[in-house]
Amino acid sequence: MKYKKLTLENFRTYFGKHEVTFPDKNGLVIFHAKNGTGKSGLLHAMNFGLYGKVLNPSDYQGGYFPYYELLNRLAFKNKTYNFGVTLEFSDGKNNFEIDRRIQLKKGVKVKEPKEDNYFEEFLHVTKNSEVLSKDESQREIENIMSEAVSRFFLVNREDIHRLNNALVDERENEVIRKEIERSIGVEVLERGKEILSEIANDFSKESVKDTSNSKKANDAKEDLLGALERLDKAKKYIKENKEKLESVDSELVILEEKERSLKSIAEEAEQKKNLTEEIFDLETQKRQKIKQTREYLIENWFLPVSDIALEAYDKAKREQEDATEIERNIKNLEIEIRRLKKEVKDEVCISCNQPINKTQVKKIKQLLEEKIKSKEEFEGQYEEPTSIFPSTQIIKPFLEPSIDNFIQLEKDLAGIELDIHKTQNKVDKINKKFDDSLESEVKSLREKIKAKNELVGIIKKDIEEQEILQAAATNQIKKAEKEVEKYTSDTKTSTKKSQFSKGIREIFDIAFELYRDSAREEVSNLAMGVFDNLINDKAHQIKLEDDYSVTLIDQNGENAGTPSEGQSGVIAISIIAALSRNSVTNAPIVLDSPMAALDDDHQQNLWSFVNQLADQVILFVFPGEYKDEHRKNFKKYLVKEFTMHKEEGVYQANILEGHHPKYFDKKGAK
Amino acid sequence: MLSQDHRKEKILEKIYEAISKNSAVTTPMKKVFSKSKIDEIIEEIYQILWDEKFNDNQKEITKKIKKYIELEITANSK
């Protein structure tokens, strides 16, 4: 198959009619465009032209874009409610033209028709200019490139991501296994095997009815019919359970996709939990530090200083009492001295107011002198009491070493508080990003995933058991068929049909095993070769398992863990390359932004290799994937280039022939 | 040769390999048809399977092949 021309009208970012003519020559066609210009739009147009629908990459449930989202916004604003794609291609023998248009149904008078049921599809397919019926059209398209294998030929960025997930995820791998086996033709023989087994069983039943009725023949017939019945039952049960498994698996894929989309929240919730625990630890450290500081202060400052203060207080108190006593004595003596002096002067007794004689005066004078002497003695004894506060000189020896330690404790405490502050800031930042409801959504998703996984386990076990029964029944059928054959020499047509169809069934059984193993080996070898070609780190290789899951291995053949994003991109491209070369479909490969996750070296490698993916390779690249120095790697395979551009915020993209880098610098873009 | 034709040939090669390696299977078949007719019928069945490889209606293909075998046996068997 080779694309010849693509015409779009009011499709996605393309307002009005736009045409892209692909060259006849095999080779590389590149579309250069900034993100948001309409690269994916062209890929979607090819999908739409072929299948009439476009998967919405942001819909986890695998939904398709509604028509109004495929319709150009400007056309929608202008109330032009129709769009279409015309795809011209050749399958090597015949020329095809698919013209698919969507128009507003007659009589629909809705202000903004957004529902698909307001629109109708018109499909017009020609083969060598002859118009095909609708059924013939779909059949021809399916035969040229079945929608089921299209993900290996019309590959957008999300497909690369999904393909890679599927290759490493066991459950999705079952889906991809079927698609791969369909693409490389294993399914042709697998279906042949099933169909011929069914036909052989039908013919066996017919034959049994026609065979002779001898006792042994009847027993063998009964055995055969019983085994056929058991086989039918097992088949029915397996079919039902596989359908159930498929439905649970697709629910699981949706849940896991959702979980992946909330992965950053889950990670941040985990980080928040860790940070909160860290804050709790820091708060504990802070409390311990405060306790330590308090104990240190009590032991090294408060207790010694309070001892000193107490001692100073006791001493001051004692001195105060002594001084008060002396003051009181002095005061009493002063009163007495004043009284004695007055009696000497007046020669009258102050107590009885009677005159006193000379002898008594002399005695009083003597007493007065004694009192004065005694007062002078007390005055001599008097000392000013000391302060109740201890002097700084006494306290200083206790304070000086303690202050240093105290400063250290204070520093430690401040350090802890700073850590708490920083950690709390991180928690606050996380809190701003999401609320608790998202956290609980993640939790609930995980619980649902766990439950679904358990259900998958149960169903798989049931299927395994029934498959054992099915295998046993198949063996019994073969044995019983031989028995029936042995006891009958029937030459009736029914016997011939039975004998012959059993033989064909056997042949397809064996051919299926032979082809499956050899085709898988071919895909595996080619994928390994491509990977080796594309990857710079030669210490790693890939291994394709029997179920087509991919393992990254090291030089010793040991599992090298989960591939990096870049390695994943290379793995996906390697598988696509291997499948396209071994496919029952011969179609061009269209890749949207295949180098987005690759570093410069790997981009160079892919640019050198990309032409080998298929006879016609169409790449959509944004400026980050293409550099002028890459040109030398693909120059000789390049058959045509296009540049897509549009003004920002305007739904009017244009496609120009040639490479026009001016549209990618800021000035040009304006 | 286109890759799809190449693939078709490869599968057919494996069918012939299965026939040649398992004479025990083909011996009873030879009671019904000659060797060349067996090859012809198997190729025709494979052609139907190949042409219908993207047809999801397995019942329809089963019916087609079954009818073809019946007609060949009725018309051309020994």
Side-chain angles (χ1 to χ4, degrees):
Chain A
M1 180 190 177
K2 191 180 285 175
Y3 295 113
K4 299 176 91 173
K5 193 174 178 182
L6 175 67
T7 309
L8 327 159
E9 194 175 346
N10 296 335
F11 190 85
R12 301 288 282 166
T13 51
Y14 299 93
F15 178 65
K17 206 169 182 178
H18 297 262
E19 282 182 1
V20 175
T21 307
F22 297 97
D24 283 341
K25 206 176 155 192
N26 286 347
L28 183 62
V29 179
I30 305 176
F31 286 84
H32 299 272
K34 282 168 71 173
N35 282 334
T37 308
K39 294 191 305 296
S40 303
L42 278 195
L43 185 67
H44 291 160
M46 290 171 158
N47 260 303
F48 180 76
L50 288 164
Y51 311 114
K53 52 197 170 183
V54 181
L55 264 178
N56 180 354
S58 49
D59 186 340
Y60 303 132
Q61 301 185 20
Y64 296 95
F65 278 117
Y67 287 147
Y68 98 93
E69 282 203 36
L70 297 176
L71 174 63
N72 177 270
R73 291 280 171 93
L74 199 56
F76 191 82
K77 274 186 186 174
N78 292 348
K79 300 188 189 305
T80 308
Y81 301 123
N82 65 65
F83 66 93
V85 168
T86 310
L87 188 61
E88 291 172 44
F89 59 91
S90 148
D91 69 351
K93 293 168 193 158
N94 307 293
N95 289 320
F96 291 87
E97 184 182 309
I98 304 174
D99 181 56
R100 206 183 283 270
R101 330 228 112 244
I102 302 297
Q103 285 179 9
L104 195 68
K105 280 181 188 166
K106 275 183 188 169
V108 171
K109 284 176 186 164
V110 182
K111 202 179 171 189
E112 287 199 328
K114 291 189 173 178
E115 307 287 328
D116 277 2
N117 57 11
Y118 294 139
F119 295 90
E120 57 188 332
E121 185 191 271
F122 294 91
L123 177 67
H124 182 86
V125 179
T126 60
K127 182 179 178 182
N128 301 324
S129 305
E130 263 184 48
V131 180
L132 303 180
S133 71
K134 200 175 177 184
D135 283 352
E136 281 173 331
S137 301
Q138 291 303 346
R139 185 170 285 232
E140 286 285 356
I141 295 168
E142 268 298 297
N143 262 330
I144 292 164
M145 184 162 70
S146 166
E147 194 186 354
V149 300
S150 64
R151 80 147 102 183
F152 304 124
F153 297 93
L154 292 167
V155 194
N156 63 34
R157 211 160 148 178
E158 291 76 17
D159 279 331
I160 294 181
H161 175 71
R162 280 190 189 139
L163 175 64
N164 204 58
N165 275 344
L167 290 167
V168 293
D169 186 285
E170 196 189 323
R171 229 176 0 272
E172 278 197 56
N173 185 263
E174 180 56 22
V175 179
I176 202 90
R177 184 191 67 78
K178 280 187 184 161
E179 286 181 15
I180 290 176
E181 294 201 331
R182 178 170 265 213
S183 180
I184 60 176
V186 173
E187 204 196 55
V188 174
L189 289 175
E190 192 175 18
R191 285 177 90 188
K193 199 175 81 134
E194 282 170 20
I195 286 169
L196 289 161
S197 172
E198 209 177 317
I199 292 171
N201 290 343
D202 283 353
F203 286 151
S204 270
K205 280 180 203 166
E206 280 178 32
S207 162
V208 161
K209 284 176 197 161
D210 285 350
T211 50
S212 62
N213 283 323
S214 72
K215 169 83 174 71
K216 282 183 177 173
N218 277 342
D219 289 349
K221 272 157 56 180
E222 267 176 35
D223 286 350
L224 179 58
L225 289 172
L228 283 166
E229 202 177 316
R230 284 196 295 281
L231 180 69
D232 282 346
K233 266 188 192 167
K235 269 186 178 173
K236 198 180 160 199
Y237 193 85
I238 291 168
K239 194 181 165 220
E240 281 170 5
N241 269 303
K242 280 195 172 166
E243 279 167 6
K244 212 195 278 178
L245 186 64
E246 218 167 277
S247 133
V248 178
D249 267 348
S250 53
E251 282 169 27
L252 203 47
V253 168
I254 294 164
L255 288 173
E256 284 180 342
E257 190 67 46
K258 257 190 193 171
E259 196 208 5
R260 266 197 288 280
S261 75
L262 294 173
K263 195 181 168 191
S264 61
I265 289 166
E267 278 170 1
E268 294 203 272
E270 188 64 30
Q271 200 188 345
K272 184 181 155 186
K273 193 182 148 206
N274 292 338
L275 288 171
T276 311
E277 279 171 10
E278 209 176 295
I279 291 177
F280 180 79
D281 289 346
L282 286 167
E283 292 281 5
T284 310
Q285 276 182 39
K286 184 183 160 183
R287 278 194 299 277
Q288 279 172 348
K289 198 53 82 177
I290 291 171
K291 193 182 166 200
Q292 201 182 333
T293 310
R294 194 167 54 225
E295 281 170 359
Y296 185 86
L297 284 174
I298 290 170
E299 206 172 307
N300 294 285
W301 188 82
F302 181 76
L303 286 179
V305 171
S306 62
D307 280 352
I308 292 165
L310 205 61
E311 209 175 288
Y313 174 77
D314 284 348
K315 189 183 169 202
K317 194 181 167 194
R318 275 196 311 274
E319 284 177 0
Q320 185 67 50
E321 281 169 0
D322 290 350
T324 308
E325 182 65 27
I326 291 168
E327 275 175 348
R328 195 172 55 243
N329 288 336
I330 290 169
K331 217 169 194 175
N332 288 338
L333 285 167
E334 277 173 351
I335 293 166
E336 208 155 346
I337 288 165
R338 268 199 306 277
R339 187 178 62 85
L340 291 171
K341 276 183 179 171
K342 194 169 171 34
E343 279 180 340
V344 169
K345 187 186 165 190
D346 297 342
E347 292 181 352
V348 175
C349 173
I350 289 170
S351 311
C352 60
N353 208 22
Q354 295 294 318
I356 46 176
N357 59 30
K358 294 284 181 188
T359 314
Q360 284 172 319
V361 170
K362 200 181 167 185
K363 276 183 184 176
I364 289 170
K365 274 182 180 174
Q366 201 180 340
L367 186 63
L368 181 65
E369 275 169 19
E370 283 170 14
K371 294 288 179 188
I372 288 168
K373 201 180 168 188
S374 181
K375 184 194 161 209
E376 280 169 1
E377 276 174 15
F378 275 120
E379 280 172 345
Q381 285 172 15
Y382 183 80
E383 273 180 24
E384 203 52 44
T386 51
S387 165
I388 61 162
F389 299 107
S391 79
T392 46
Q393 271 182 339
I394 301 170
I395 296 170
K396 210 176 170 186
F398 292 94
L399 289 181
E400 273 173 355
S402 310
I403 281 171
D404 289 343
N405 287 332
F406 185 68
I407 287 169
Q408 189 53 49
L409 283 168
E410 217 175 19
K411 270 187 183 174
D412 293 348
L413 197 57
I416 294 169
E417 277 180 343
L418 191 64
D419 286 346
I420 292 174
H421 176 75
K422 282 180 187 168
T423 317
Q424 188 58 51
N425 272 350
K426 286 182 195 167
V427 173
D428 292 346
K429 266 188 194 169
I430 294 170
N431 281 340
K432 271 183 196 168
K433 285 188 194 168
F434 63 90
D435 56 28
D436 290 345
S437 65
L438 281 172
E439 260 185 270
S440 54
E441 194 181 335
V442 173
K443 203 177 156 193
S444 131
L445 270 173
R446 286 187 174 165
E447 278 165 9
K448 279 183 193 165
I449 289 169
K450 197 181 160 199
K452 294 275 176 206
N453 272 323
E454 281 168 3
L455 186 59
V456 165
I458 295 167
I459 298 173
K460 275 188 177 169
K461 207 178 160 200
D462 276 2
I463 291 175
E464 271 169 30
E465 282 169 8
Q466 288 301 318
E467 277 173 344
I468 293 168
L469 292 177
Q470 188 184 4
T474 308
N475 285 336
Q476 283 160 3
I477 288 168
K478 285 179 186 171
K479 201 177 153 194
E481 277 171 350
K482 277 181 191 162
E483 288 286 301
V484 172
E485 217 168 281
K486 199 169 139 187
Y487 297 113
T488 179
S489 54
D490 208 320
T491 53
K492 286 178 184 170
T493 310
S494 61
T495 314
K496 287 182 190 171
K497 281 195 244 176
S498 171
Q499 275 178 346
F500 187 71
S501 58
K502 273 181 269 170
I504 301 180
R505 180 188 65 195
E506 292 291 313
I507 288 165
F508 273 81
D509 273 2
I510 300 160
F512 164 71
E513 304 274 340
L514 290 170
Y515 179 71
R516 187 191 54 194
D517 294 347
S518 82
R520 194 164 47 209
E521 204 180 325
E522 275 183 79
V523 172
S524 178
N525 289 341
L526 191 53
M528 280 163 72
V530 176
F531 183 81
D532 198 42
N533 219 313
L534 293 180
I535 204 85
N536 283 331
D537 174 13
K538 302 294 179 202
H540 287 112
Q541 185 46 274
I542 51 169
K543 188 181 166 201
L544 201 64
E545 308 290 347
D546 288 353
D547 61 357
Y548 299 95
S549 63
V550 175
T551 316
L552 187 71
I553 52 169
D554 62 19
Q555 281 167 320
N556 302 321
E558 303 279 327
N559 189 325
T562 310
S564 67
E565 202 183 338
Q567 283 170 329
S568 299
V570 175
I571 291 172
I573 300 281
S574 306
I575 299 292
I576 288 169
L579 290 175
S580 74
R581 286 294 176 198
N582 287 287
S583 181
V584 293
T585 300
N586 180 42
I589 289 207
V590 185
L591 290 169
D592 180 11
S593 308
M595 310 190 200
L598 305 184
D599 61 24
D600 191 50
D601 288 343
H602 288 100
Q603 284 185 359
Q604 295 257 24
N605 295 347
L606 189 52
W607 277 116
S608 305
F609 175 81
V610 77
N611 70 297
Q612 294 179 47
L613 286 171
D615 295 338
Q616 187 184 39
V617 177
I618 299 168
L619 289 192
F620 297 104
V621 294
F622 62 85
E625 293 177 282
Y626 166 83
K627 291 188 182 74
D628 283 336
E629 58 260 36
H630 292 146
R631 189 165 281 268
K632 64 177 187 302
N633 298 321
F634 62 78
K635 201 176 163 188
K636 56 181 170 183
Y637 317 113
L638 182 69
V639 288
K640 202 161 184 177
E641 274 178 294
F642 295 91
T643 300
M644 289 128 86
H645 75 96
K646 77 171 179 69
E647 286 179 40
E648 272 172 41
V650 178
Y651 300 101
Q652 236 176 322
N654 282 310
I655 308 167
L656 300 175
E657 288 199 7
H659 180 216
H660 302 281
K662 67 174 181 176
Y663 289 109
F664 308 133
D665 57 41
K666 280 182 183 169
K667 201 179 159 194
K670 277 172 192 167
Chain B
M1 190 189 269
L2 292 172
S3 72
Q4 63 197 96
D5 296 334
H6 178 65
R7 213 41 28 209
K8 190 179 170 190
E9 283 300 311
K10 286 233 166 193
I11 299 173
L12 195 59
E13 274 171 29
K14 293 295 165 192
I15 294 173
Y16 278 119
E17 196 180 324
I19 296 171
S20 65
K21 279 184 179 170
N22 295 278
S23 55
V25 174
T26 48
T27 310
M29 290 168 82
K30 283 178 189 159
K31 287 184 194 169
V32 188
F33 289 112
S34 67
K35 169 80 176 75
S36 60
K37 190 68 189 170
I38 292 170
D39 289 353
E40 186 194 317
I41 294 171
I42 287 175
E43 270 195 44
E44 182 56 31
I45 291 170
Y46 172 54
Q47 184 64 47
I48 296 170
L49 289 167
W50 177 264
D51 291 342
E52 303 289 344
K53 60 185 175 294
F54 294 126
N55 180 358
D56 285 331
N57 190 344
Q58 193 157 314
K59 269 191 181 167
E60 191 188 324
I61 312 167
T62 308
K63 211 171 153 187
K64 212 176 199 175
I65 294 174
K66 194 175 173 187
K67 191 167 184 190
Y68 169 69
I69 296 172
E70 278 181 321
L71 286 173
E72 280 287 2
I73 288 173
T74 314
N76 301 317
S77 65
K78 287 178 186 172

